[in-house]
Amino acid sequence: FAHQDGGVHIVLGNIIGGAFSPGEGREYARLVRAAYLRRQTAAMGARMVVEAVSRPMPEILADHETLVGQLYAADGRDSGAMRTAKEGLRDVMNTLDERASLRAQGKSVPTGHLCGIDEVDRLVGGFAEKKLYVVAARPGVGKTSTLFQMANGFIDQGLKPAIFSLEMPEMDVLTIMLGQRISAAMFERLGDHYNGCSCAAIKAADLKEQEWAELHVAGKAMIQSSLLIDDRRHSLASLRAEMRRAVKVLGAQVVLVDYLQEIRNPAPPQTPRNMIVAEIAQGLTDAAKDLCVPVIAAAQLNREVDKGTKPEARKPKMSDLGESAKIEQAATAIIALHRDTHPSAPPESRDFT
C-alpha cells in the first residue's frame, strides 16, 4: 500500500499532515510503538506457554531473557547493555572533575545522595547509585522512623523518593513524616522548649497554631517532591517489578523499603529461613544495580543483643542481623541503631547512637 501511493514517507506525511499537528504526530508514534511492544509481549508469552512443555527450562529462560532485553531496547529504556571502557572512563573522569571542583571551592565532596542526618552522611559519605544500604535495629528502637527521616532529607535535597512500606499503612507513613518536618521546623524556632509533634496529635488534629502553619508547609514540600508510597505486601518478584515502575516510569531517584524481613519469597516448605532472606538481600542488591538508584532497606536485629549483661555486649553488631549473614555481604553499608533500654542502663546511654 505504501509503495502504490508513492512510498512510506508520503503515507506518513498524509497521516501527520491531514490529522495531527507535529506534537500530536509524536504522540501517535508513541502509541504505534506501544501497540507494537504489546503485540511482541503477547507473542512472547504465547511462545513461552507452548515451549514450557517441550523445552528445558534453562533454555526457555535464556531465550526469553534476551527477548525481554530487546523489548527494553525497543522501548528506549536502558537494558543494562555492555559498554566500552572509553564510555565508562568518560563518566568517571567527568565525576572526578566535578568533585575536584568542589574540593577547590572548599566544599565537601559527597559520593552519593545526602539524607540530611549529619552523622549518617558523614559516615556513609552519601548514598550512591547501584548500592544497597541497610538500617538495622531491634524492634521499637526506631529504624522505621529513621528511614522516613531519611526520606524527608532526600526531599529537602530536591530528590524524589519511593517508599515501600510493607508493614505500616500509608496514613501512618505520611503522619510520621509530617510530624518529623513539623518538629524540625519548631525546634529550629523554639529550641529545647519544644517537645515535638507526635503522630497521635496530627491524627487527632490536636495542633497548636504554629504547628498548623508548619503542617501546611510540610505538606506542600512533600507534594512538590512527588513522594511515592506503596503500602502493599510484596513478594520479592512483585517488589522488584514495582521498584522498576517507580524508577523507570515515575522517576523515583532513591528507593526505601520497610522492612527487609517482611518481603515474601515463595520457596519449598523445607527451605531454611536464612536462605530465603539471603535471596531477598541479593534481590535488592540486584535491583539497585539494575535501576541505577540507591536502595535503603530497614532490617530487624535478632533479640540476642538484648541478653547482654554489660553495655558493650548490648551494642549491635553486623552479626546480629536477623536470619542471614548474606545481608552483611550484600549491603554496601549497615547503619545499626542503638538505644540501650536495659533497666540497668544509665540515662545518657538511652540516646540514639
Side-chain angles (χ1 to χ4, degrees):
F1 174 75
H3 290 293
Q4 291 173 359
D5 282 352
V8 69
H9 294 292
I10 292 178
V11 172
L12 289 176
N14 290 337
I15 291 173
I16 296 173
F20 300 104
S21 68
E24 291 171 329
R26 284 191 293 272
E27 176 64 13
Y28 180 80
R30 186 189 69 79
L31 293 173
V32 169
R33 184 176 67 178
Y36 162 77
L37 291 171
R38 288 183 184 278
R39 290 195 301 272
Q40 293 296 103
T41 303
M44 182 174 66
R47 177 179 161 191
M48 185 177 287
V49 169
V50 173
E51 293 178 346
V53 297
S54 60
R55 292 184 63 196
M57 187 57 67
E59 293 181 12
I60 297 174
L61 293 177
D63 286 351
H64 286 276
E65 186 175 6
T66 301
L67 290 172
V68 169
Q70 291 171 354
L71 287 175
Y72 270 110
D75 196 26
R77 303 187 190 186
D78 178 15
S79 60
M82 187 176 292
R83 301 202 306 164
T84 65
K86 180 180 179 180
E87 293 171 316
L89 285 171
R90 182 172 59 236
D91 290 346
V92 169
M93 295 310 296
N94 287 339
T95 300
L96 293 179
D97 284 344
E98 292 173 4
R99 292 175 182 173
S101 176
L102 288 173
R103 285 196 179 280
Q105 298 172 45
K107 298 180 179 179
S108 60
V109 184
T111 56
H113 302 314
L114 301 179
C115 72
I117 304 175
D118 293 339
E119 186 69 8
V120 172
D121 287 334
R122 183 184 67 81
L123 292 172
V124 177
F127 293 85
E129 296 177 350
K130 302 186 177 184
K131 303 288 187 181
L132 171 66
Y133 300 85
V134 173
V135 177
R138 303 189 316 277
V141 169
K143 59 183 178 297
T144 297
S145 294
T146 301
L147 204 69
F148 296 162
Q149 188 175 346
M150 289 179 173
N152 269 322
F154 292 131
I155 289 172
D156 292 337
Q157 300 293 325
L159 300 172
K160 183 176 184 176
I163 297 174
F164 291 88
S165 178
L166 280 70
E167 189 176 39
M168 188 175 291
E170 178 188 48
M171 183 175 182
D172 289 350
V173 175
L174 289 171
T175 51
I176 288 174
M177 293 184 67
L178 285 169
Q180 289 173 340
R181 299 187 75 85
I182 293 169
S183 295
M186 296 295 289
F187 274 126
E188 190 172 321
R189 184 181 302 172
L190 302 176
D192 294 337
H193 299 291
Y194 183 68
N195 293 323
C197 179
S198 69
C199 294
I202 296 175
K203 289 180 178 179
D206 184 19
L207 301 178
K208 300 179 178 67
E209 183 177 350
Q210 288 181 320
E211 291 173 329
W212 277 115
E214 293 298 341
L215 174 67
H216 291 292
V217 173
K220 183 178 180 181
M222 291 167 67
I223 290 170
Q224 290 176 340
S225 74
S226 298
L227 167 70
L228 302 170
I229 300 174
D230 184 334
D231 64 356
R232 296 170 294 174
R233 302 296 292 246
H234 281 290
S235 66
L236 177 61
S238 67
L239 178 62
R240 290 190 62 175
E242 289 302 322
M243 287 169 64
R244 174 173 289 280
R245 178 173 175 271
V247 174
K248 296 295 186 181
V249 179
L250 301 177
Q253 295 161 291
V254 57
V255 173
L256 303 100
V257 180
D258 184 37
Y259 59 94
L260 189 149
Q261 287 96 335
E262 283 291 313
I263 301 170
R264 300 195 307 270
N265 196 31
Q270 304 304 318
T271 305
R273 176 63 182 169
N274 65 324
M275 290 182 62
I276 296 174
V277 174
E279 188 171 342
I280 291 170
Q282 187 59 54
L284 292 179
T285 301
D286 293 343
K289 292 181 66 176
D290 181 36
L291 300 176
C292 297
V293 296
V295 174
I296 307 170
Q300 196 152 288
L301 294 174
N302 63 45
R303 294 186 177 274
E304 291 300 314
V305 71
D306 290 327
K307 296 180 180 179
T309 56
K310 296 181 179 180
E312 295 78 11
R314 293 193 295 271
K315 288 187 177 180
K317 305 177 290 294
M318 285 197 296
S319 58
D320 294 321
L321 275 168
E323 298 167 316
S324 180
K326 181 63 179 179
I327 300 175
E328 299 177 46
Q329 301 168 15
T332 295
I334 295 174
I335 303 158
L337 306 179
H338 176 54
R339 175 189 284 161
D340 197 342
T341 57
H342 194 274
S344 64
E348 62 270 16
S349 70
R350 296 177 183 267
D351 293 332
F352 272 124
T353 56

